[in-house]
Amino acid sequence: MRALLEETGREPTTLRSIGVGVPGPVEFSTGRPVDPPIMPGWHQYPIPEFFASRFGVRALVDNDVNVMALGEQRRAFPDCRYLLYIKVGTGIGCGIVADGKLHRGAQGCAGDIGHIRVGDLDDPCRCGNSGCLEAVAGGASLAAKLVGLGLDATSGSDVVRLVRSGNRDAVRMVREAGRAVGEVLAGLVNFFNPDTVVMGGALAAVHDQLLAGVREAVYRRSHPLATQLLRIEPSRTGENAAAVGAGILAIEHALSPAQVNRLVAG
């Protein structure tokens, strides 16, 4: 943070707000992670207080997929009012924009689709259950399956590398992963009726194969009215989605009526 300020020639006192995205469930009202599966030891860690004690401004902390959805909608799809951002990386999550606003749910964990059960599959998941979408179609799961076939893969990025090199097993698995994501997404499309679905995350880098599977399942299982004008597209902001969204989160807080009134009154 200090290096970024130095690089842009700004003093820490010019900061007005900080936006942070973390890969796990976040109670937005407190900004604290709650039992994040891939962040052991971070349960209830006071992230906002950490930044406030160092920079003297409020830090807004949210789930990384939420800030990705916010960044994608504001920058790439500003006219879209109902958008789902599906991140398919090591894990799988969904950011929800409803009527142009980020929807977090009652406690902040709306969109946690990675642990919805898929069919009758029993793949063990790190959450302790089995058959979760993440365990079936997440990047870490696909990499482990490819290792079982004798291939060198430790992450979703390795899966992407193998797909791009033309490996048939990797291509087949990514397409099957797309179908699994599409099975869950079809239910979301029927329930939420978005006008745009955006696919992001590491595996979206091979979106031709992933989207083929997703579209196949969604159009087969969703109501015709729900898919009549539906767009299913790869992310346009790419790797910058989270940074853009976190920045927007901070900017919208700093320029909110309450903050402006407080500055004027001061």
Side-chain angles (χ1 to χ4, degrees):
M1 189 71 170
R2 296 188 190 283
L4 286 171
L5 286 167
E6 192 172 311
E7 184 181 321
T8 55
R10 294 184 178 275
E11 296 294 325
T13 53
T14 63
L15 279 175
R16 291 293 175 265
S17 183
I18 299 171
V20 182
V22 297
V26 174
E27 185 179 46
F28 186 70
S29 60
T30 64
R32 297 188 175 198
V34 179
D35 291 320
I38 62 175
M39 296 174 65
W42 283 77
H43 175 64
Q44 291 293 342
Y45 187 85
I47 298 176
E49 289 84 348
F50 174 92
F51 283 103
S53 67
R54 287 158 175 78
F55 296 99
V57 297
R58 183 181 175 189
L60 292 95
V61 184
D62 208 341
N63 172 265
D64 62 343
V65 189
N66 282 348
V67 295
M68 287 176 175
L70 186 63
E72 193 77 31
Q73 190 268 339
R74 294 287 199 276
R75 172 167 285 188
F77 299 94
D79 297 328
C80 172
R81 306 294 293 172
Y82 296 89
L83 176 144
L84 296 178
Y85 183 99
I86 311 295
K87 174 193 173 187
V88 186
T90 300
I92 298 177
C94 175
I96 305 167
V97 174
D99 196 22
K101 300 176 183 177
L102 198 58
H103 174 73
R104 299 183 177 89
Q107 302 299 328
C109 65
D112 189 10
I113 65 171
H115 301 288
I116 294 177
R117 186 174 177 82
V118 181
D120 297 323
L121 299 173
D122 291 316
D123 302 54
C125 184
R126 61 188 167 193
C127 73
N129 290 315
S130 61
C132 295
L133 178 61
E134 183 177 301
V136 173
S141 171
L142 298 186
K145 292 175 184 176
L146 289 168
V147 167
L149 295 176
L151 297 167
D152 180 21
T154 58
S155 67
S157 297
D158 291 324
V159 177
V160 170
R161 172 179 53 79
L162 287 167
V163 170
R164 285 176 169 168
S165 69
N167 182 275
R168 292 183 180 181
D169 290 314
V171 170
R172 173 180 55 81
M173 285 187 184
V174 167
R175 183 145 189 165
E176 288 174 353
R179 291 192 192 101
V181 173
E183 292 286 326
V184 172
L185 183 55
L188 302 181
V189 167
N190 283 333
F191 176 78
F192 182 63
N193 189 201
D195 49 39
T196 305
V197 172
V198 178
M199 305 296 297
L203 291 189
V206 284
H207 55 78
D208 286 345
Q209 291 82 4
L210 185 68
L211 285 178
V214 169
R215 287 171 175 148
E216 178 184 331
V218 169
Y219 287 112
R220 185 180 73 248
R221 299 186 63 89
S222 298
H223 192 281
L225 181 60
T227 58
Q228 185 177 14
L229 300 175
L230 179 65
R231 295 181 294 182
I232 303 177
E233 301 188 12
S235 170
R236 296 179 184 176
T237 53
E239 294 180 354
N240 293 324
V244 170
I248 291 170
L249 198 66
I251 290 169
E252 291 187 349
H253 168 72
L255 298 181
S256 67
Q259 287 297 105
V260 171
N261 288 341
R262 190 174 292 114
L263 287 171
V264 172

